[in-house]
Amino acid sequence: MFSQEKTEKATPKKKQESRKKGQVAKSMEVPASFILLFVFMSFLMLGGFYKERLVGMFGSTFETRLSMEITIGNVGVLFKNLIIECLLLLAPLFAIAIVVALLGNYIQFGFLLTGHPLMMKLSKINPIEGFKQIFSMRSLVEFLKSILKLVIIGTVVGMTLWGEKDHILALGSVPIEQIFSFAASITLSLGVKIGALLVVLALMDYMYQRFDFEKKLRMSKQDLKDEYKKTEGNPVIKGRIRERQRKMALQRMMQEVPKADVVITNPTHFAIALRYDGTEMEAPEIIAKGMDYVALKIREIAKENGIVLIENKPLARALYERAEIGDTIPADLFQAVAEVLAYVYKLKRKTK
């Protein structure tokens, strides 16, 4: 039961799989709040540009276009010019919104391009799941977050307007140009203040979203074991494979024993089969070796095939510990092995 509790941090593999599905820690508030802040800051920095475009667009409309004769030919040109002027006026805002939105998402989770969230899933239209989401903890957090934003925005607007109450009461006795100037300045001030506060809330929301995402990705001890089996393989199966490989390697080694010239023994603990062909080899080669049970099998096969067995405890132990199957013998053992081979060749000549 305890092994099913999700108490362990997600593994890198689990995080990578979640990322491929488009499931990452992100807050939609981050790009939205930064867009609002930077748009109002652009009004402060590019005020001259917006003023020039607005005055030019409305000035030409009221001065010339209202008194011009409307014909089929000039209507298209008129609307074309208006559309171009509107696009030029809104182009900085569109550029700011696109760039800030891309950067806001990139900073949160980097570059990610996946179509998995767009795939059709029946669970998305399941009314029971939808009802659970409405009354879930996430929905409660989103509701409280919306209330908090409304309270903060209302407080900032109220305090700002209350601080300017004397100027607002005096607007009835000032020229209309000053009224527009005051309204624009107080709107920009409110926009920057609200944008800055929403940025702070967005960063806090991102920290919460990241914590919530890490919590959802948690794994149980059983999940970790299952993932390990998938990536590394089932230990039982891997053990059986290794055992089969050992048996096959032992079988191949035993097939090489009849080709040996001599088998050096300990006499019971070690057995090393040596082969030497002066036309092909620079030094004798170990074609089989083993200890205890394997050594016994090597000796049995050697006897069945008439291979000479030589008992030499120090040499057998040295060859077993210092060389592997397929290796030539160590250089400092050349003399000892040469004496053994000379003795074997002498025995074979006598036998013939």
Side-chain angles (χ1 to χ4, degrees), residues 13 15 34 36 41 45 47 65 76 83 101-102 117 120 168 170 190 203 230 244 256 278 287 294 306 338 349:
K13 183 176 183 296
K15 292 180 180 180
F34 273 102
L36 179 64
M41 290 180 66
M45 295 182 291
R65 293 170 182 170
I83 291 173
L102 292 175
M120 182 63 183
I168 295 174
L190 284 172
L203 295 177
K230 289 180 181 179
R244 181 169 296 181
E256 295 293 319
I287 61 174
V294 177
R349 284 195 298 269

Side-chain angles (χ1 to χ4, degrees), residues 168-227:
I168 295 174
L169 294 175
L171 290 178
S173 58
V174 299
I176 191 168
E177 293 180 359
Q178 293 185 17
I179 294 176
F180 279 116
S181 178
F182 174 77
S185 64
I186 199 170
T187 300
L188 290 177
S189 176
L190 284 172
V192 173
K193 290 179 182 178
I194 292 172
L197 288 173
L198 290 181
V199 165
V200 175
L201 288 178
L203 295 177
M204 295 173 62
D205 180 62
Y206 172 69
M207 295 172 62
Y208 167 77
Q209 297 294 343
R210 188 162 186 169
F211 166 78
D212 186 58
F213 179 73
E214 294 287 343
K215 185 178 179 181
K216 288 180 179 178
L217 282 185
R218 285 180 184 173
M219 305 171 67
S220 64
K221 288 182 170 56
Q222 185 62 41
D223 293 335
L224 293 175
K225 293 179 181 178
D226 294 340
E227 182 180 293

Side-chain angles (χ1 to χ4, degrees), residues 122-305:
L122 295 178
S123 59
K124 294 181 178 180
I125 58 176
N126 188 345
I128 299 177
E129 293 295 328
F131 186 79
K132 290 180 180 179
Q133 291 181 1
I134 292 175
F135 294 96
S136 63
M137 179 60 68
R138 187 179 186 85
S139 299
L140 178 61
V141 171
E142 293 296 326
F143 174 74
L144 295 176
K145 187 170 63 178
S146 300
I147 296 297
L148 181 60
K149 286 194 292 185
L150 288 175
V151 170
I152 291 176
I153 293 173
T155 302
V156 171
V157 172
M159 293 177 63
T160 302
L161 293 179
W162 182 258
E164 299 290 340
K165 64 180 184 300
D166 295 333
H167 293 89
I168 295 174
L169 294 175
L171 290 178
S173 58
V174 299
I176 191 168
E177 293 180 359
Q178 293 185 17
I179 294 176
F180 279 116
S181 178
F182 174 77
S185 64
I186 199 170
T187 300
L188 290 177
S189 176
L190 284 172
V192 173
K193 290 179 182 178
I194 292 172
L197 288 173
L198 290 181
V199 165
V200 175
L201 288 178
L203 295 177
M204 295 173 62
D205 180 62
Y206 172 69
M207 295 172 62
Y208 167 77
Q209 297 294 343
R210 188 162 186 169
F211 166 78
D212 186 58
F213 179 73
E214 294 287 343
K215 185 178 179 181
K216 288 180 179 178
L217 282 185
R218 285 180 184 173
M219 305 171 67
S220 64
K221 288 182 170 56
Q222 185 62 41
D223 293 335
L224 293 175
K225 293 179 181 178
D226 294 340
E227 182 180 293
Y228 177 79
K229 288 180 179 179
K230 289 180 181 179
T231 54
E232 301 295 332
N234 193 315
V236 177
I237 297 176
K238 290 181 69 176
R240 292 176 180 173
I241 293 174
R242 285 195 296 268
E243 181 63 26
R244 181 169 296 181
Q245 290 174 341
R246 283 194 295 268
K247 289 182 179 179
M248 294 174 65
L250 179 63
Q251 185 177 2
R252 287 194 299 268
M253 184 182 72
M254 294 303 178
Q255 292 174 354
E256 295 293 319
V257 173
K259 301 177 183 179
D261 293 312
V262 63
V263 174
I264 302 174
T265 64
N266 193 25
T268 56
H269 293 298
F270 299 102
I272 295 88
L274 300 179
R275 176 174 173 267
Y276 178 64
D277 186 347
T279 61
E280 299 178 357
M281 306 175 184
E282 295 181 358
E285 180 183 287
I286 297 176
I287 61 174
K289 75 171 189 174
M291 62 182 298
D292 297 334
Y293 173 76
V294 177
L296 177 62
K297 294 294 293 182
I298 292 174
R299 290 197 302 272
E300 290 178 355
I301 296 174
K303 289 178 181 179
E304 292 173 359
N305 291 271

